[in-house]
Structures are given as structure tokens and as C-alpha cells.
Amino acid sequence: MWARTLISRRMSRRGVSAVQRTRAIAHHMMSTSANTSEQPPVIFESLLSTRVYKLNRPKKLNALDMSMLELLRPKIEEWSKSPLCGVIWGSGEGRAFCAGGDVAGVVADASAAETRPRAVEFFRKEFELDYILGAVDKPYVAIMDGITMGGGVGLSVLASFRVATENTKFAMPETKIGYCPDVGASFFMSRLDGELGTYLALTGETISGRAVFEHGIATHYIPAKRIPMLLESISSLEDPKFTQINKVIEDNVSEPETPGTFTSDFVGAKRIAIDYAFAHDKVEDIYTALGELKSDSDISISKWASDTIAALDMRSPTSLKIALRAIRAGKSMSLFQALQMEYQIAAAYCNGASTDFKTGVTAVLVEKTKERPQWNPATLEEVTDEILDKFFNPESVYLQNLPEFSVPEHLKSAPIRPSRFALPTELDIKDMVIGEHQASGDTGLTLDELVSNFENLYDHKTGVREKVMDTVARKCQVVDNADGNKVWLKWNYSS
């Protein structure tokens, strides 16, 4: 491989480009109709300084099982230390990046005492891999093309570069199956703007396409047909740096069909409603707020509130309370602490702290029923603090003698900055408006000045204008200039 790399680098730029383009396109566009039964569940490839893994269980939507985790971790650790590896690239074969973990197998293992340790081990290995991918100090490009849910979110959402396409379908649907959002959800979803992450974690709602980028879950949005060219361009970088890769991806993005507005449905009045209803620290209070919104004069909001209540009614009451508690705790935790907490929650489920995980997987994934599963307890009121302590209290009998959650020591203190190349957050915009941003001036800002400031800071990144406009419309008011002209922006805390 070393000799092959030296020879490749001596080729002319034209020759290298042709070879790379052919290999990249062939690699990426490999027909899913090909016989993959004899191929490994993860395919690894080297394209000059880029190291590629491709999840290769298309018939299972690339659902993660133990064998895939055991293939991925040593390879990722090897690449993270190799001077020949400049970029890590992750993708999936077929119509999914990764639809999640193979939870049916995990539940089956957890159902018997002799195989239960294997179920706990699955979660430990999965979460450790998620941490390593989030902490690796080399550029990591995750291609979220297609279904990206559950375990697939864990492999991608902490990457330095997260590329969504028109095919992306993002969700953390664990409460639907009597489980709790994991793979770092308590870290990254608690840091999404407002209460959007809380809403997504509790309802399991899906966000698709460009909206995944607009809400900061992905860092970029490009058409799926450009992915092979993107792989070629990144692989051709001789000494790839984060800023170089960001520019290469930006060169491949597509503009929104309607400039100046978001495509997401979670904007405007609906986004205000989400932030209002899901700001509470008790699930019962969230229900109360949604009940108030059912009477809203805006028909779209009243319908949304009714639909959301109906969706929550289908979820496991225990899962809802665990998810909310984890999201609130994770907001002040490091990634390592959040994953460690989620590992304990997963272990408690496996060790019998609740029967809802098995009930949900059987009803939703095996029997595929549309009816509400037989959750136990069946109501929110019955889910007591004593039940929740089974998952969160270190003294819980369901959390004893767990294998240690461990990652390479040199990565434990690694900076985790998943929003570095994403659109500015609402907190960034707020800080600029109130004068606390490092790029703020000494005077107030007009809307045009605010937009200009962020476009310059983000090197005119596609979507910045739309993000600023959407935030200002909900969170700011225009105040008087003392001469009758209302031009200055003021942050509206009461919103």
C-alpha cells in the first residue's frame, strides 16, 4: 500500500484525477442489486489520503450489529493514528446511511440471563465508537444520504462535516419502541436551537432533506449526485486541512429553490409553539402546554398540538420521562459524560429495569402493529421517581458490575465542536444582537448589518442569510432610532 501510494503521488495531476474519479464513482455508485451476501458488512478503502468506510448491509438498511462495530472501531483507531490518513469518510450502501442498531437482536440477547451481557456489550461498543468518531482530531466526513436514524445518527452527527442530501431522513425514534434516545443524543440534541431537540427526542419526529442542514444537524447540504465528485475532490487534497475540506464541500452545495426562506416546516409560528410547549422539565407540563395550544386561533398550530399529543400518547410513558431527564442533564455534560449516562440507561433496560423496550420492539418492529403497545406503566402518572432512579441512580441494582465505559485516554479531553462548520446557532445570533459576540461592535445593528456580519464571518456560506432572517423574525423586534425611524434590532427575551 505504501509503495502504491508513492507511485500514485508521482502521477500527473491529470492522471490522478482520472483514476480517482473512476474509482470514486465506481465505489460510490456500486449497484445495490449486486450480490452482497459474500461481502463483509463494512467495506474499507483507501483513496490517496482519504480512508473510506462503507456500511454494507443494504437489505437491513445498514443496521449496526456487533460484527460491524468490531470491524469499525479498530479501523477508525488505526486511521486516527496513521500519518497516511488525512481524511475519514463514512457512507452507506443503498437507500440508507444507517437506519439504527439491530435492536431486535439486542432485545433477544437481553431476554436471557446467559446472553444478557452481550446486549450490554453491544451498547458499550456502539457508544465508545460514537465517542471516538466525535473526538478524532482528523477531518471526518459523514455522508447522511438516505435514512439516518438511531445508531446511524451516532456515527454521523458528531462528525466535523455532516453532509445531508435530498434523500436524508433524520430521526431518533427510540421512544416509539419503549427505549430512550442514545448514541450521544443527550449531548447533541440538547444543544440544538431552542427546544427543537427536546421535541425530536420525545416525539421521534422525522426531519428530511435540506431541513436537516437548516437546523444545524448537518453542516452542509448537497445533491446526492455530487457525492462521487465530492469524494474525488477531497481525496485529491495532498495535505487536507479542515478549512480546505469545508471549502470543497461548499463548492458542491446547492442553493435553495426559494432564496431567503427555510424549507423546514419547523419555522415561524410552529417553531415558537415548539419552544413554548417543550421548554418544561416535566412531561406532564409539556402535555398541559400542548393542551393550551389546541385552542390556538391559528388552525395550523392547534392541529399541530393535537397531532403532537396523539403522537406522545403512543409513546412509552417511561421512555418519555427518561428521555426528558437525559436531555436536560446532557445539556451541561461533556460528550463523554453524556454517553456514559446513556450507557447506564441502556444497561438498565437490558437488565430488566423496564419491560417496555422488549414490548415496543416486539409490537413495532416484529408484529408491526399500529395499536398502542401495552406499556407498563401505562400512564405518565404511574412513572414515579423511584422508577426513573433505576436508570439514573448509580446505586441502582440494575447498574451494578457494568463493564467500564472506556475510550482511548488521549481522546477523553478532545474538544468536541459539532457546530464548527454548521450554520450559526440562535445563541450566536443573540450574542451578536446584544453585543456580546466577539465580532460585535459598540453600537446597535440593523437587520442588513446583522446579516452582513454573519455572511462575512461564515465566508458567505449558503443558508446563513436564511438562518439569520428566520431567527430575527421570531426573536427580535425593531426599535426606534430616537428620530422616528425603527431600524435597530433588539432581542426579545419574552418570545
Side-chain angles (χ1 to χ4, degrees), residues 102-324:
D102 190 356
V103 291
V106 172
V107 165
D109 283 340
S111 298
E114 60 272 18
T115 56
R116 191 166 298 135
R118 192 162 62 200
V120 175
E121 186 73 354
F122 172 84
F123 286 114
R124 183 179 71 83
K125 289 189 174 183
E126 181 184 23
F127 298 172
E128 287 176 353
L129 175 62
D130 294 335
Y131 181 89
I132 292 169
L133 286 169
V136 66
D137 62 355
K138 294 186 178 181
Y140 170 38
V141 182
I143 304 299
M144 303 165 71
D145 185 35
I147 300 169
T148 305
M149 300 182 181
V153 173
L155 295 179
S156 60
V157 82
L158 296 167
S160 39
F161 301 100
R162 309 179 295 278
V163 178
T165 74
E166 69 275 15
N167 303 318
T168 303
K169 294 187 180 301
F170 169 96
M172 291 297 292
E174 286 75 15
T175 59
K176 295 181 180 181
I177 57 170
Y179 182 53
C180 173
D182 57 0
V183 297
S186 61
F187 177 86
F188 66 80
M189 296 186 86
S190 65
R191 286 163 171 77
L192 294 180
D193 291 334
E195 297 300 333
L196 183 63
T198 308
Y199 168 74
L200 296 174
L202 269 60
T203 63
E205 181 66 64
T206 299
I207 293 186
S208 302
R210 184 180 285 274
V212 180
F213 159 69
E214 292 170 344
H215 291 297
I217 298 166
T219 60
H220 299 80
Y221 174 86
I222 70 171
K225 64 183 180 181
R226 296 184 189 173
I227 291 175
M229 292 182 287
L230 179 63
L231 176 57
E232 174 194 351
S233 299
I234 289 177
S235 298
S236 68
L237 298 172
E238 292 186 5
D239 184 22
K241 305 296 184 185
F242 284 89
T243 53
Q244 287 178 294
I245 293 173
N246 183 54
K247 185 179 186 308
V248 169
I249 302 176
E250 283 293 327
D251 287 343
N252 284 275
V253 303
S254 64
E255 296 287 342
E257 292 184 8
T258 308
T261 60
F262 271 177
T263 63
S264 173
D265 191 38
F266 301 123
V267 295
K270 185 177 290 187
R271 177 53 202 289
I272 293 172
I274 288 173
D275 287 353
Y276 170 73
F278 285 83
H280 301 283
D281 294 334
K282 292 184 177 181
V283 180
E284 292 90 340
D285 293 340
I286 291 174
Y287 264 89
T288 299
L290 289 169
E292 296 172 10
L293 292 173
K294 285 176 63 177
S295 302
D296 196 273
S297 58
D298 185 333
I299 296 177
S300 66
I301 297 304
S302 60
K303 182 180 185 305
W304 169 82
S306 296
D307 291 345
T308 302
I309 289 174
L312 292 175
D313 282 344
M314 291 289 290
R315 311 294 179 252
S316 157
T318 301
S319 295
L320 290 176
K321 287 199 172 183
I322 292 173
L324 183 58

Side-chain angles (χ1 to χ4, degrees), residues 351-426:
N351 289 328
S354 170
T355 58
D356 279 3
F357 190 16
K358 181 177 181 179
T359 297
V361 169
T362 302
V364 177
L365 301 182
V366 179
E367 298 174 353
K368 301 185 186 301
T369 178
K370 301 297 183 182
E371 302 298 320
R372 186 179 194 262
Q374 297 298 310
W375 306 124
N376 182 27
T379 67
L380 287 171
E381 292 72 22
E382 295 174 279
V383 183
T384 63
D385 289 341
E386 288 73 22
I387 290 176
L388 296 180
D389 282 346
K390 295 178 182 180
F391 300 86
F392 292 94
N393 189 336
E395 302 303 317
S396 167
V397 296
Y398 300 96
L399 297 177
Q400 301 310 302
N401 303 314
L402 295 182
E404 181 184 3
F405 182 77
S406 177
V407 299
E409 193 65 33
H410 72 283
L411 293 179
K412 281 188 177 180
S413 58
I416 310 296
R417 296 190 292 168
S419 64
R420 179 181 175 188
F421 295 102
L423 292 175
T425 65
E426 285 187 7

